[in-house]
Amino acid sequence: MLLDNLNLFLRIVEKGGLAAAGREVGLSPASVSERLAALEKYYGVTLLTRTTRAISLTDEGRLLVEGARRLLAEAEELESRVRLGSETIAGHIRLSAPEDLGRRCILPIVDAFLAEHPAVTIDLNLTDGYVDLVGQGMDFAVRHGLLADSTLRAKSLGENRRIVCAAPSYLAAAGTPAHPDDLSRHDCIVMRFGQNIDRDWTFLVGGKPHRVRVRGRRVANDGGLVRQWCKDGLGIALKSIRDVEQDLASGALVELLGTYSAGTTALQIVYPHSAVQPRRVRLLIETIAAAFSAPAMKPHRVEELHT
């Protein structure tokens, strides 16, 4: 019963409320409240503070979230080994990845993993926004950028070069920028990250950072849509090389301003700081890391197309 109540407690945290957690597991709000009260009585502490609009974790509640995830992972791992044998990979995995990278790179890996391990189920959350791994119950996430949350661990997938690119049809109509400053006169397609719009693009000019303020009529919070607009000839985009390497290889997009570095970002897998990860989670992380260690396709730059 303790494990069941711990699992319900995690559902409450992940869903952001008792009623939502109850709907998820088929319990009434009154039953969920009773079981939460039983858990708090068992530990002798208050785990959640509740208002009419929201819940928040107490310090003891945050401690229990981490411990409960570890304990439930160990229990599930033990049950899987006993019931299915030590060689069988089974169970549920929840992961998150950026929209474009997720569709183009992570999804094929996940599909192959599911085909190889039929007892595994996957919940894949594709978003370019921030994901609270602990609060949303994610096993891990693939993320751009450096790790800022000290409560998480990270496994590097290597550096991820950023490039400026456009479709040949756009360049034929609007011309080709020869210097980063030329971008201010072009129609650029811009990403939104939450409330922040990425209008300041930074390059290395003469060995020093050089920031250019771009403009454009299209802003989106979906990297896949930005890439599609770019392929449709609707503007110039700043993208990860891994998002567009196939388009560069096919000629659907060409790299611009290749002599002016647009910088790199770290690409990594991040996961909660826990002593225990189920084998299925460890194996999928290792599978993704191995796939990303393969050499990337050589991109085509606009200069190469003119020679």
Side-chain angles (χ1 to χ4, degrees):
M1 188 64 179
L2 176 60
L3 292 182
D4 290 339
N5 285 347
L6 287 173
N7 189 52
L8 180 60
F9 171 65
L10 293 181
R11 292 289 183 104
I12 294 170
V13 174
E14 291 164 12
K15 298 299 178 181
L18 277 66
R23 287 192 296 270
E24 184 83 5
V25 298
L27 293 174
S28 69
S31 296
V32 175
S33 183
E34 288 175 5
R35 289 177 57 175
L36 175 60
L39 194 62
E40 290 180 324
K41 182 178 179 181
Y42 177 82
Y43 286 109
V45 297
T46 299
L47 300 172
L48 298 171
T49 56
R50 285 165 274 178
T51 67
T52 55
R53 293 187 177 182
I55 64 169
S56 60
L57 286 165
T58 64
D59 290 342
E60 293 80 8
R62 281 189 287 272
L63 182 62
L64 186 60
V65 165
E66 181 177 348
R69 290 197 193 286
R70 183 165 58 248
L71 182 61
L72 290 170
E74 289 176 339
E76 187 178 357
E77 182 81 1
L78 177 61
E79 181 175 356
S80 175
R81 288 181 179 238
V82 172
R83 288 180 178 273
L84 302 174
S86 60
E87 300 303 318
T88 301
I89 303 298
H92 194 58
I93 304 174
R94 299 186 68 190
L95 68 147
S96 176
E99 293 268 6
D100 208 5
L101 183 77
R103 288 192 182 95
R104 297 178 62 80
C105 299
I106 302 300
L107 185 56
I109 299 171
V110 166
D111 285 340
F113 190 84
L114 288 173
E116 185 176 355
H117 305 287
V120 170
T121 59
I122 295 283
D123 183 345
L124 176 59
N125 175 24
L126 295 180
T127 177
D128 289 314
Y130 172 75
V131 175
D132 179 357
L133 294 188
V134 174
Q136 295 180 235
M138 295 288 173
D139 292 301
F140 66 92
V142 178
R143 285 184 179 171
H144 295 294
L146 296 174
L147 182 62
D149 188 345
S150 61
T151 66
L152 301 177
R153 291 182 176 177
K155 181 179 181 66
S156 175
L157 296 177
E159 287 192 337
N160 193 35
R161 188 166 67 92
R162 303 182 80 196
I163 69 162
V164 174
C165 56
S169 60
Y170 175 85
L171 299 176
T176 301
H179 187 278
D181 288 339
D182 295 341
L183 292 174
S184 62
R185 297 185 289 275
H186 280 267
D187 199 353
C188 295
I189 305 168
V190 182
M191 274 290 297
R192 176 191 293 277
F193 299 97
Q195 298 299 315
N196 299 317
I197 299 178
D198 186 23
R199 294 193 186 277
D200 293 319
W201 296 0
T202 302
F203 300 84
L204 278 182
V205 177
K208 297 180 180 180
H210 182 77
R211 182 174 297 177
V212 177
R213 183 79 169 179
V214 301
R215 61 173 184 83
R217 294 180 296 155
R218 289 174 171 82
V219 177
N221 66 345
D222 182 333
L225 178 57
V226 169
R227 180 175 58 85
Q228 187 58 55
W229 279 340
C230 191
K231 288 174 61 179
D232 290 342
L234 300 175
I236 295 175
L238 177 63
K239 292 289 294 176
S240 154
I241 185 66
R242 289 191 179 272
D243 289 344
V244 297
E245 58 188 1
Q246 293 180 12
D247 299 320
L248 295 170
S250 69
L253 293 174
V254 292
E255 182 178 353
L256 309 174
L257 305 172
T259 56
Y260 304 97
S261 171
T264 60
T265 60
L267 185 64
Q268 54 195 349
I269 294 173
V270 298
Y271 51 93
H273 191 285
S274 173
V276 176
Q277 279 183 327
R279 283 180 304 153
R280 61 184 179 275
V281 175
R282 296 196 305 269
L283 183 58
L284 181 54
I285 288 176
E286 292 166 2
T287 301
I288 293 172
F292 273 78
S293 68
M297 292 184 227
K298 180 183 177 183
H300 296 287
R301 295 179 179 174
V302 68
E303 295 92 335
E304 295 173 348
L305 300 179
H306 293 166
T307 57

